[in-house]
Amino acid sequence: MVGGLSGERMMIGLAIGIIVLIFLVLKTKVQAFLALIVCTIIVGVVGGMPLTNITLEDGKTFGIINSITGGFGGTLGSIGIIIGFGVMMGQIFEATGAAKTMAFTFLKLFGKKREEEALALTGFLVSIPIFCDSGFVVLSPIAKAISRATKKSVIGLGVALAAGLVVTHSLVPPTPGPLGVCGIFGIDVGTFILLTIVLSVPMVIGCIAYARLYLGKKYYNIPDENGNIISLPYQEPDYENAFHMDEKGLPGTLESFMPLLLPILLILVNTVASALGKTGGFMDVLIFLGQPIVAVGLGLLVAIFTLGRVLDRHTAIAEMEKGMESAGIIMLVTGGGGALGQIIKDSGLGTFMAEGLAQTAIPIIILPLIISTLMRFIQGSGTVAMTTAASISAPIIIASGVNPTLGAVACCVGSLFFGYFNDSYFWVVNRTLGVKEAKDQLTIWSVTSTIAWAIGVVEVVILSFFM
């Protein structure tokens, strides 16, 4: 353990912290962001971490406050700016009617009663080059517009989109996590991409079924004309009016989608070029433009100067600031979840538990799955979970003669388990969809991610008989 901490004591601290967190968000008036910070402090104090920052022999700073600020800042440093750009872009989509155009395009393309499939497929493809957090913030206005047009619950539609995004983000390279796992196991990336795309399909289908058959009826929430998501008595979808939307005055299809397509294309070029080592000269410029912050920022500028031309300066700025107001709570609770995950990472608790599992008599192919699953539950980050599991289990799996590709799949599948308070995507999805109660948040997203995980576990077990 880092800094001479006791693994057993840190486990007790984690257990107490999680219990307090659940109690605060379920039974008290304490807001989720404050509850996350309180939980993080409890984990550190009970676990024996230094109350004031100290400097270790390797020169690194170690302490409760350092973990909180580092985790908060590190999480928001990677997605905070993108969330800000994304919500401003989404507000422009709403104000100019571009979201309606995109919704109508999806309705005509996929036909009636296939809205969940349309959104899941969109997320499935988009999340291969772009992080799921960013993808959901940028694409969620489409789900809201379809919900308003069809009178289908935005919860069912949004969860279908979120599921499509997170499954390929967790399994299919060139997303950094799966790509890193391939490197650790030394397996062919092309083969892994083909295999994981096939394995991802049943996982997404299971999540779509849960979203449509259960969530869309239990949580019947519809965005009103002002963009506020309100709860209403359940009613059947209104496809007749949805397919006869008045398109007069709405922007064109290409114009509406361009602010989304541009950053996705740039990020895809960046990802592929970086993976292939194609750097230098003009490719450096493309790689820079393909950085998510730059790419989404360019998409926002395109939205402002194309779609936003129908708005006067005052209205355009007011609409974007309205979007920025909604981003505040998303950023805070996302950063709070990052702080909780960081203190667990800094203490070495996740590695302590994973190495303990590696010394047990658990079947070889189940080992990476269990390590990744526990790491995911303990510290929240799917990328950290799968890469840690790969680092620990790869030498064991390769030495035992088990197919390393199967071991890599197991690491990625485990990273999907039960996304909850310490997972930034948990907060992005729930807050964007207007879900405020912790019990509902767990039902809506934690269960969904666990369904994907469970189907993946079955697939790993089945594959173990053939690989």
Side-chain angles (χ1 to χ4, degrees), residues 110-129:
F110 286 87
K112 300 177 182 179
K113 302 181 180 180
R114 297 190 182 93
E115 295 79 19
E116 290 86 356
E117 287 86 344
L119 288 167
L121 178 60
T122 302
F124 189 96
L125 297 174
V126 165
S127 197
I128 293 176

Side-chain angles (χ1 to χ4, degrees), residues 365-423:
I365 197 52
I366 301 300
L367 179 64
L369 186 62
I370 293 179
I371 293 175
S372 181
T373 297
L374 283 178
M375 285 291 294
R376 157 70 169 180
F377 183 75
I378 290 169
Q379 51 77 47
S381 169
T383 300
V384 172
M386 67 177 73
T387 52
T388 301
S391 299
I392 293 172
S393 63
I396 301 172
I397 287 177
I398 293 172
S400 67
V402 174
N403 191 321
T405 300
L406 182 57
V409 171
C411 291
C412 294
V413 167
S415 71
L416 282 164
F417 181 73
F418 200 76
Y420 75 118
F421 304 120
N422 59 358
D423 174 21

Side-chain angles (χ1 to χ4, degrees), residues 165-181:
L165 285 161
V166 78
V167 169
T168 49
H169 172 80
S170 302
L171 267 76
V172 184
T175 305
L179 193 62
V181 170

Side-chain angles (χ1 to χ4, degrees), residues 177-341:
L179 193 62
V181 170
C182 288
I184 293 170
F185 276 91
I187 59 178
D188 181 69
V189 175
T191 301
F192 194 73
I193 289 174
L194 295 176
L195 175 62
T196 50
I197 286 177
V198 173
L199 296 176
S200 296
V201 173
M203 300 164 74
V204 174
I205 291 174
C207 294
I208 291 174
Y210 178 64
R212 170 184 286 145
L213 301 177
Y214 181 72
L215 294 180
K217 295 180 179 179
K218 179 176 176 59
Y219 300 98
Y220 189 72
N221 296 357
I222 305 290
D224 62 18
E225 292 302 321
N226 296 320
N228 301 314
I229 298 176
I230 57 177
S231 180
L232 298 171
Y234 179 76
Q235 67 182 61
E236 291 298 319
D238 182 8
Y239 293 111
E240 188 64 30
N241 289 328
F243 278 81
H244 290 85
M245 291 171 60
D246 184 6
E247 296 181 80
K248 294 181 180 178
L250 295 180
T253 301
L254 179 60
E255 185 181 19
S256 298
F257 277 98
M258 186 54 66
L260 294 181
L261 295 177
L262 176 63
I264 290 171
L265 179 61
L266 289 173
I267 293 172
L268 178 61
V269 171
N270 165 33
T271 306
V272 173
S274 299
L276 297 176
K278 302 293 184 180
T279 59
F282 183 65
M283 292 307 298
D284 272 346
V285 176
L286 290 179
I287 290 174
F288 171 74
L289 295 178
Q291 298 297 319
I293 292 175
V294 178
V296 177
L298 289 174
L300 175 59
L301 288 174
V302 169
I304 292 171
F305 290 110
T306 57
L307 298 172
R309 72 181 187 278
V310 301
L311 306 174
D312 59 62
R313 179 178 177 275
H314 174 76
T315 303
I317 293 176
E319 288 293 338
M320 285 186 283
E321 289 179 350
K322 181 180 177 182
M324 292 169 68
E325 291 173 3
S326 68
I329 183 61
I330 297 175
M331 289 188 183
L332 284 174
V333 294
T334 299
L340 176 57

